[in-house]
Amino acid sequence: MSTCAPSRDKRRCHDMAMIVTDVIMTLAREKTQDGKVSLHDLERIAALISGGSMVLDAAYIRQEESCRKFHQLPKGNVGARSNPFHRLMVRPFEHLLAGDGAVLRREYLPHYFEFLDHALEKRLEAFERHCRTIIQALMVVHGNNLTWDQFYADGRTIKTLQGALKLLRAYMESPEGQRVWHGCMMRPIGDLPAPAMAQVHHIHQVLLETARGLEAAE
């Protein structure tokens, strides 16, 4: 399947135009003479369509809800395939991954996630499971309109970030944690060379400062 193919939901929203077109073409064929339709007949067809019909009324009712849901989806919706805990642990330095103030390219994030595996060990699975539980609870309220910003702002999410960063900070400040941090982060990935020491250090400091700030707010 082509990667440029429109989504199924978006095609469904355009079904209304197809239904209207089918009705117009059916009426036009009835008025056709020698393969032509007069302007007067087209105006009558347009007036008939704009006045509504049982066919179009039923079609509008059928399409309205699905189209409204699709077009009202806000930017940044939570995807079922996303790892909410990974997203949460990137949040402290997310602003440093893009734009004019970018410090580190997103392509290096797998190294960071590998470091999290070392730092949190068995606790990692519990954090991931807890974040998915929060997502499920929020979806009961927001449905498919749930955004990442709503997830980040939830009190349960903030407490989860506090707990995870507290553990992360303790590990990062230990000799082993410092060694593993550099071992994980100071590596090339794909066609990209290893990041500069200053880049990795900047991310390191942001994580520590965020952890201290959240601990002070407890």
Side-chain angles (χ1 to χ4, degrees), residues 6 111 113 118 134 180 185 191 203:
H111 292 340
F113 298 145
H118 288 282
I134 296 173
V180 174
M185 299 297 294
D191 296 330
I203 300 298

Side-chain angles (χ1 to χ4, degrees), residues 128-175:
E128 291 179 340
R129 185 167 56 249
H130 183 57
C131 282
R132 289 192 174 96
T133 299
I134 296 173
I135 291 289
Q136 290 172 359
L138 289 172
M139 289 195 73
V140 172
V141 178
H142 301 285
N144 291 330
N145 289 337
L146 176 64
T147 65
W148 286 114
D149 285 341
Q150 289 168 326
F151 169 68
Y152 297 142
D154 189 85
R156 294 163 295 185
T157 304
I158 295 172
K159 288 183 178 179
T160 302
L161 182 60
Q162 286 175 330
L165 284 180
K166 188 173 184 177
L167 293 172
L168 195 65
R169 177 192 170 194
Y171 184 72
M172 293 175 76
E173 291 180 337
S174 70

Side-chain angles (χ1 to χ4, degrees), residues 17-175:
M18 295 176 62
I19 293 171
V20 173
T21 301
D22 287 343
V23 173
I24 292 174
M25 292 304 298
T26 298
L27 295 174
R29 289 189 184 97
E30 292 178 357
K31 299 294 183 179
T32 298
Q33 293 183 357
D34 298 326
K36 298 179 180 180
V37 181
S38 69
L39 178 60
H40 176 69
D41 285 334
L42 286 176
E43 289 174 342
R44 291 184 62 188
I45 291 172
L48 179 63
I49 295 296
S50 63
S53 69
M54 292 183 64
V55 173
L56 293 180
D57 287 345
Y60 274 117
I61 292 172
R62 188 169 62 250
Q63 299 298 324
E64 179 184 14
E65 185 64 20
S66 62
C67 290
R68 180 165 54 82
K69 285 183 178 180
F70 176 79
H71 288 292
Q72 286 183 349
L73 287 176
K75 184 178 179 181
N77 284 62
V78 174
R81 296 172 62 184
S82 301
N83 184 322
F85 182 65
H86 278 179
R87 294 282 302 238
L88 182 62
M89 295 304 290
V90 171
R91 183 66 170 171
F93 60 87
E94 187 176 23
H95 61 290
L96 300 176
L97 299 176
D100 295 336
V103 172
L104 193 72
R105 294 180 59 163
R106 286 185 176 274
E107 288 86 345
Y108 292 108
L109 285 179
H111 292 340
Y112 173 61
F113 298 145
E114 183 179 342
F115 173 74
L116 291 180
D117 289 342
H118 288 282
L120 300 176
E121 294 183 326
K122 295 180 180 179
R123 298 183 183 91
L124 178 64
E125 184 177 347
F127 276 122
E128 291 179 340
R129 185 167 56 249
H130 183 57
C131 282
R132 289 192 174 96
T133 299
I134 296 173
I135 291 289
Q136 290 172 359
L138 289 172
M139 289 195 73
V140 172
V141 178
H142 301 285
N144 291 330
N145 289 337
L146 176 64
T147 65
W148 286 114
D149 285 341
Q150 289 168 326
F151 169 68
Y152 297 142
D154 189 85
R156 294 163 295 185
T157 304
I158 295 172
K159 288 183 178 179
T160 302
L161 182 60
Q162 286 175 330
L165 284 180
K166 188 173 184 177
L167 293 172
L168 195 65
R169 177 192 170 194
Y171 184 72
M172 293 175 76
E173 291 180 337
S174 70

Side-chain angles (χ1 to χ4, degrees), residues 179-192:
R179 184 175 63 255
V180 174
W181 170 262
H182 287 98
C184 287
M185 299 297 294
M186 296 296 299
R187 292 182 298 164
I189 188 167
D191 296 330
L192 295 176

